[in-house]
Amino acid sequence: MTEKHLSTQFDSELNRVSARVMELGGLVESQISNAVYALTSFSTEAVEQVISTEQRVNAMEVEIDHELSSIIARRQPTARDLRLLIAFSKATANLERMGDEACKMARMVKSIIESGAARSLPSGELRMAAQMASELLRKTLDAFARLDTKAAVAILREDDLIDEEFDGFVRKLITYMMEDPRTISASLDLLFLAKAIERIGDHSKNVAELIIYLVEGKDVRHQTMAEIESAVL
């Protein structure tokens, strides 16, 4: 991921922190996979696995932040090196927040399991969106490791599909609640689940934008897809 420097020690430090960010990404990816499995199988065991991983994710975020601060203080990087370290820091924050969303999913699934009401509601679309979000994170980590801007643009497009799934699911839930007020409590649980899934997609999108920033030196946040494509492709 990094270019060679005159200081091999600096290269070693950059490679080490890069590996730590990818390790964190893999840990969060497993959290989200377990959350998706908990949702699709109503598995309390998967729920507990997600929640038990949260402390490790939080600790890794703090450790990576400390390492990044130390590198910046000692090396005083400029240009692309500084962009790289900023990207590492922001990617770490987004990954930790994805882990938070996975925990929210797990807790909502636990609530749904305990209520026993979700099986009568339209959770099939939600499971599909959750699987899309999990796959999007996998693609994002791969693109980040390879600094692949074309893959990053594809990820931004795919996040729009998750947003569409979320909007459609919300409309369907509103219909269910209007037709049968007894479904309101369980429907709200599913709504919070859907929002957590949508936020995982948003954080993957943020990391994809960081890839473009790192490689091209262009901040593409809040730009249209047409503007991003013209800047990158």
Side-chain angles (χ1 to χ4, degrees):
M1 176 179 280
T2 60
E3 296 177 347
K4 294 293 182 183
H5 297 85
L6 292 176
S7 169
T8 56
Q9 180 63 29
F10 189 18
D11 286 331
S12 176
E13 290 170 358
L14 292 175
N15 288 331
R16 184 172 62 248
V17 75
S18 172
R20 290 285 282 161
V21 172
M22 297 308 297
E23 182 185 354
L24 175 61
L27 191 59
V28 172
E29 186 178 5
S30 72
Q31 262 192 307
I32 293 171
S33 295
N34 282 326
V36 172
Y37 181 78
L39 175 62
T40 56
S41 305
F42 293 107
S43 167
T44 53
E45 182 181 352
V47 165
E48 294 306 322
Q49 285 179 334
V50 174
I51 295 172
S52 66
T53 308
E54 181 178 22
Q55 188 173 356
R56 188 177 165 199
V57 169
N58 292 342
M60 283 192 70
E61 181 200 19
V62 173
E63 290 165 8
I64 292 169
D65 275 348
H66 285 168
E67 192 162 357
L68 289 169
S69 297
S70 174
I71 293 172
I72 291 171
R74 287 183 291 104
R75 301 294 180 181
Q76 299 184 352
T78 58
R80 193 176 188 278
D81 290 332
L82 182 58
R83 292 206 308 270
L84 177 63
L85 293 169
I86 290 171
F88 283 157
S89 178
K90 291 186 176 182
T92 298
N94 277 280
L95 288 169
E96 189 275 333
R97 287 168 192 156
M98 286 189 223
D100 287 344
E101 298 300 336
C103 284
K104 288 179 189 176
M105 288 177 63
R107 293 187 177 99
M108 285 298 102
V109 170
K110 185 176 182 179
S111 174
I112 289 168
I113 292 170
E114 291 171 352
S115 73
R119 296 177 191 275
S120 61
L121 291 169
S123 57
E125 295 95 332
L126 191 60
R127 294 175 191 140
M128 183 170 65
Q131 288 165 347
M132 287 171 63
S134 179
E135 178 66 11
L136 190 64
L137 173 57
R138 186 194 64 77
K139 292 177 181 177
T140 302
L141 292 172
D142 181 63
F144 193 72
R146 295 183 292 108
L147 297 182
D148 187 338
T149 55
K150 289 185 179 180
V153 172
I155 288 161
L156 297 180
R157 292 196 200 100
E158 198 166 335
D159 177 59
D160 289 340
L161 297 178
I162 294 177
D163 291 342
E164 290 172 10
E165 287 286 333
F166 173 74
D167 291 341
F169 184 72
V170 170
R171 287 193 295 270
K172 185 169 286 190
L173 276 182
I174 290 171
T175 300
Y176 271 77
M177 288 187 283
M178 290 175 63
E179 291 177 351
D180 186 356
R182 292 172 298 179
T183 67
I184 289 176
S185 179
S187 293
L188 288 176
D189 283 340
L190 291 182
L191 182 60
F192 285 124
L193 259 171
K195 187 60 183 176
I197 292 166
E198 190 255 351
R199 289 296 297 148
I200 288 170
D202 286 344
H203 288 303
S204 291
K205 175 182 177 180
N206 291 344
V207 176
E209 290 172 345
L210 286 172
I211 296 168
I212 296 170
Y213 167 71
L214 176 54
V215 175
E216 303 289 341
K218 298 174 182 175
D219 189 342
V220 296
R221 291 175 296 177
H222 314 303
Q223 294 188 9
T224 66
M225 279 306 306
E227 289 171 334
I228 294 170
E229 288 170 353
S230 65
V232 176
L233 302 181

